[in-house]
Amino acid sequence: MSVARRRLAHLDPRWGVPVVLAVWLLLWVLLRGHATLALDTASLTSVHLRLNELNDAIGASRNSNPVFVYFLNDIRAAIDAFVTFIQHLISRPSADRPVPQIGWLGVVAIATTLAYGFGNWRVAMLTAAGFVLFGLQGLWQESMDTLALTLATVLLTVLFGLPLGVWAGVNRRVDAVVTPVLDFMQTMPSYVYLAPLALFFLIGPASAVIATFIYAIPPIIRITAHGIRDVDESTVEAARAMGSTRWQILTRVQLPMAKRTIVVGLNQTIMAALSMVTIAALIAAPGVGQTIIRALTTLKVGVAFNAGLAIVVMAIVLDRTTTAASQRARTHRTGRRLAVLALTVGTVVCVYLSHTYVWAATFPGTAPDLGGSIISAVDSATNWVQLHLAGVTGAFKDVISYGLLNPLQAVLAEGPWYLTGSAMVLLSLLLGGRVAGLVTAGCAGLIAALGVWYDAMFTLAATLVATVIVMALGVVVGVWMARSAAADRVIRPVLDAGQTMPAFVYLVPFLGLFGASRLTAITAAVVYAAPAAIKLVADAVRGVPHAAVEAATASGSTTWQIITKVQLPMARRGLALAANQGIIYVLSMVVVGGLVGAGALGYDVVAGFAQISQFGKGLAAGAAIVLLGVLLDRTARAAANRTGRAHH
């Protein structure tokens, strides 16, 4: 057995992969249409029916089972009360008031003062303009509901995540336990948290906050731990030599020196929370996300764009404020006390006015209807595009659909499930090794058992097609950025800005271009995933030793030869990591595309929320998404590690 394993471990993918693909295609031609496990949209398997029964049983025992009565119901009530308190503070009427405790004028003043306190005048003015824009768009209450949920989640995330991150930073054993859990949490598309949490906590703000908490907590734990560990060891040793206790070293040395990194972690957590709060509208989370979902499902592109713009503005404001805070953590500026004092006094006055007077509490109805103008303009532009550019968009859709998507979809979904599954296992074995093959076998078997194999293969096909396009963009643009400092200076800020936008927002422009179709989801997935892949490729190529490039240049190699024979081969591991991240981002977005005609697993999840009879199938689809994510992630990681070992 050991000899066989060693031989298997040393199989060369360069000939093994083509052989597996050739045999797979030959058998597919012979067996096409058999044992595909295809299922009609309304059909349910025994697994789905049992999950429906589980849902009914949990619902029936919600007020009698001790786990609910003494634990889960209390958690739900506490979180609901916390969110309601913040909503009554800034967005919703209180019990004894027709308006919130702090009206629009007070909220704008508080946000502006905080932005200046953490940043500078530019950030403060951006924040003030952004918050006023929410009102001009006709989305003041929706925006404040989204902000309330985001604030509630971030406060809970910091309360639990920051201490855990510090603990992981000072204790290697804790870090070793926490890291695999965080890795798993970050590989799961945001969609999949919703169904199981709705099962136990019902739909509403509590489930939304818990789902967002789970999705947003990994960055602050991981980055805080990194910041603590990254503190110069000589400084820690000097403090220890002076007789400082472990607590004094932590509070007076490690935390102050890691402050900037910790704020970066907070920034990432806030961005993740805002993104997830928007998606959590699928389980009745209040806010702008509700407007976007209704607009997407009814194909109202103008309404979706207006609401998406509000989310983008909020993301930019929160990102710039926390980014400025991280920069000030490193270089403290003086001479600001008078300005901060004046802003604070003005804020107190504005809060009083907004608490006392209706004109300062409710955003003025006489303000310009900017939202209506945006909706009208976008609808007109959409109609023009669909009328005059239908030939271009149709041709692009046909190239992607008939040239890439349909053939791959047919191979994955229209052959026997056991043939496709076996081929996937063998490819994982060749590319990633024995562990990757075992993980793929387990995931594929569970997907088949869940009764959503056919839909999972549709989702997998779209994911792979989008990933190929992402990697093509990643290599072309990443190499350009790595070889040109000017290109890097221009492109990198655009990529950074793209990574701050929530996933839903990417669907809107492509819905206007391509209508409700699979291509809308695939194109949005490419744009969503490309920034991470491009930056990873650029950094990997830039990391190639300069001496190797100079040696190739001195030997007379052309630019093309240097790129293809030196830089890309030596950056192989970075390229594999870029592919790994691209796959995870793409899968997340392709699933969200179920709202705009992408179908497959994404549609199954949405249908599970909308129709009680489909809940079991939606839950199974969510589990299948997790399994696909694990399968793709582990295979890509193993391939990256194997590539790195082979290179070295």
Side-chain angles (χ1 to χ4, degrees):
M1 179 64 71
S2 60
V3 174
R5 285 182 177 178
R6 283 198 298 270
R7 288 177 177 173
L8 195 60
H10 289 87
L11 283 176
D12 190 343
R14 286 177 297 181
W15 65 262
V17 170
V19 169
V20 171
L21 291 175
V23 173
W24 181 11
L25 290 175
L26 177 62
L27 293 175
W28 177 82
V29 171
L30 298 174
L31 300 172
R32 184 177 184 180
H34 296 284
T36 60
L37 302 185
L39 201 65
D40 293 336
T41 302
S43 299
L44 303 174
T45 68
S46 58
V47 173
H48 306 154
L49 294 173
R50 282 196 291 270
L51 290 173
N52 280 342
E53 292 170 1
L54 175 64
N55 183 35
D56 295 337
I58 289 175
S61 63
R62 197 174 299 279
N63 296 318
S64 58
N65 189 298
V67 175
F68 282 96
V69 174
Y70 299 110
F71 184 60
L72 296 181
N73 289 352
D74 288 342
I75 292 176
R76 178 172 178 266
I79 293 176
D80 273 339
F82 184 43
V83 174
T84 300
F85 168 76
I86 299 178
Q87 286 181 307
H88 286 169
L89 201 62
I90 63 173
S91 67
R92 301 254 172 168
S94 302
D96 57 343
R97 289 169 56 83
V99 292
Q101 294 292 333
I102 303 175
W104 76 272
L105 185 63
V107 171
V108 172
I110 291 171
T112 304
T113 301
L114 289 175
Y116 180 74
F118 288 118
N120 49 48
W121 280 114
R122 288 191 298 274
V123 176
M125 293 299 98
L126 173 68
T127 300
F131 273 71
V132 170
L133 180 62
F134 299 149
L136 295 177
Q137 290 180 271
L139 296 170
W140 177 262
Q141 181 171 311
E142 292 88 342
S143 299
M144 292 305 100
D145 278 335
T146 296
L147 183 62
L149 283 177
T150 303
L151 289 176
T153 304
V154 170
L155 289 173
L156 292 174
T157 301
V158 171
L159 180 64
F160 291 96
L162 191 58
L164 188 55
V166 171
W167 192 15
V170 299
N171 191 314
R172 292 287 182 179
R173 292 181 179 178
V174 174
D175 186 62
V177 172
V178 168
T179 298
V181 178
L182 298 179
D183 288 342
F184 178 73
M185 291 168 66
Q186 290 192 300
T187 61
M188 290 199 296
S190 54
Y191 231 36
V192 303
Y193 293 108
L194 304 181
L197 289 170
L199 181 65
F200 290 101
F201 295 99
L202 300 177
I203 62 174
S207 292
V209 168
I210 295 171
T212 306
F213 173 85
I214 295 171
Y215 183 71
I217 200 170
I220 196 167
I221 296 175
R222 193 187 294 275
I223 296 175
T224 297
H226 171 73
I228 295 293
R229 286 194 303 270
D230 206 39
V231 172
D232 187 15
E233 187 62 29
S234 62
T235 306
V236 177
E237 288 297 332
R240 188 176 292 117
M242 294 175 62
S244 300
T245 64
R246 293 179 65 181
W247 177 254
Q248 288 172 328
I249 292 173
L250 175 64
T251 56
R252 298 181 182 179
V253 178
Q254 290 173 308
L255 283 175
M257 295 186 71
K259 187 188 298 183
R260 183 170 181 264
T261 303
I262 292 171
V263 176
V264 171
L266 177 62
N267 170 272
Q268 294 301 301
T269 289
I270 291 173
M271 293 298 99
L274 179 60
S275 177
M276 187 65 191
V277 161
T278 308
I279 293 173
L282 286 167
I283 53 174
V288 182
Q290 289 276 2
T291 305
I292 294 176
I293 287 176
R294 286 195 298 267
L296 289 176
T297 53
T298 55
L299 306 183
K300 294 181 178 179
V301 180
V303 175
F305 183 89
N306 185 52
L309 178 61
I311 292 291
V312 171
V313 170
M314 187 174 294
I316 292 172
V317 167
L318 294 175
D319 177 62
R320 293 292 172 254
T321 302
T322 49
T323 299
S326 70
Q327 293 168 349
R328 287 196 65 241
R330 179 180 58 182
T331 56
H332 182 68
R333 295 170 56 188
T334 59
R336 296 160 49 90
R337 293 182 180 178
L338 187 60
V340 170
L341 179 61
L343 282 172
T344 302
V345 172
T347 297
V348 171
V349 173
C350 290
V351 168
Y352 170 76
L353 292 173
S354 68
H355 181 78
T356 307
Y357 299 100
V358 174
W359 64 268
T362 304
F363 199 87
T366 56
D369 183 16
L370 185 60
S373 300
I374 292 173
I375 292 170
S376 177
V378 171
D379 284 340
S380 298
T382 300
N383 292 334
W384 185 90
V385 166
Q386 293 177 348
L387 181 64
H388 294 88
L389 299 182
V392 176
T393 57
F396 180 73
K397 185 186 297 186
D398 289 343
V399 168
I400 299 297
S401 296
Y402 294 108
L404 293 173
L405 184 58
N406 289 352
L408 181 59
Q409 194 169 275
V411 171
L412 289 172
E414 295 179 13
W417 71 272
Y418 52 82
L419 173 62
T420 304
S422 299
M424 290 164 58
V425 171
L426 289 173
L427 290 173
S428 295
L429 198 64
L430 289 166
L431 295 173
R434 187 169 61 252
V435 174
L438 290 173
V439 170
T440 299
C443 291
L446 288 172
I447 291 172
L450 286 168
V452 289
W453 176 268
Y454 193 74
D455 285 353
M457 293 304 100
F458 270 59
T459 297
L460 179 59
T463 300
L464 293 177
V465 167
T467 302
V468 168
I469 300 173
V470 165
M471 286 307 299
L473 285 173
V475 169
V476 172
V477 181
V479 168
W480 183 25
M481 289 172 61
R483 294 179 58 86
S484 170
D488 188 86
R489 284 195 300 270
V490 173
I491 297 173
R492 191 170 289 270
V494 177
L495 301 179
D496 291 339
Q499 287 189 292
T500 65
M501 291 194 293
F504 266 9
V505 174
Y506 288 93
L507 291 173
V508 177
F510 299 110
L511 179 64
L513 281 174
F514 303 114
S517 67
R518 297 173 300 171
L519 189 61
T520 296
I522 290 174
T523 312
V526 169
V527 177
Y528 179 62
I534 290 171
K535 289 199 291 186
L536 284 170
V537 172
D539 293 341
V541 173
R542 191 179 293 110
V544 172
H546 191 61
V549 178
E550 285 188 340
T553 304
S555 66
S557 298
T558 64
T559 300
W560 176 253
Q561 289 171 327
I562 292 172
I563 293 172
T564 57
K565 303 295 185 181
V566 179
Q567 290 180 307
L568 289 179
M570 295 185 71
R572 248 180 300 183
R573 189 169 186 178
L575 295 178
L577 290 173
N580 168 266
Q581 291 301 298
I583 286 171
I584 299 305
Y585 276 87
V586 163
L587 176 61
S588 176
M589 193 68 210
V590 165
V591 170
V592 173
L595 287 167
V596 291
L601 294 179
Y603 174 81
D604 292 338
V605 174
V606 174
F609 292 131
Q611 305 171 41
I612 191 64
S613 63
Q614 294 289 313
F615 181 86
K617 189 175 183 180
L619 195 60
I625 293 166
V626 174
L627 293 168
L628 273 182
V630 172
L631 183 157
L632 293 169
D633 176 67
R634 294 309 167 198
T635 301
R637 283 178 185 267
N641 292 333
R642 173 175 277 197
T643 300
R645 288 195 299 269
H647 177 66
H648 292 294

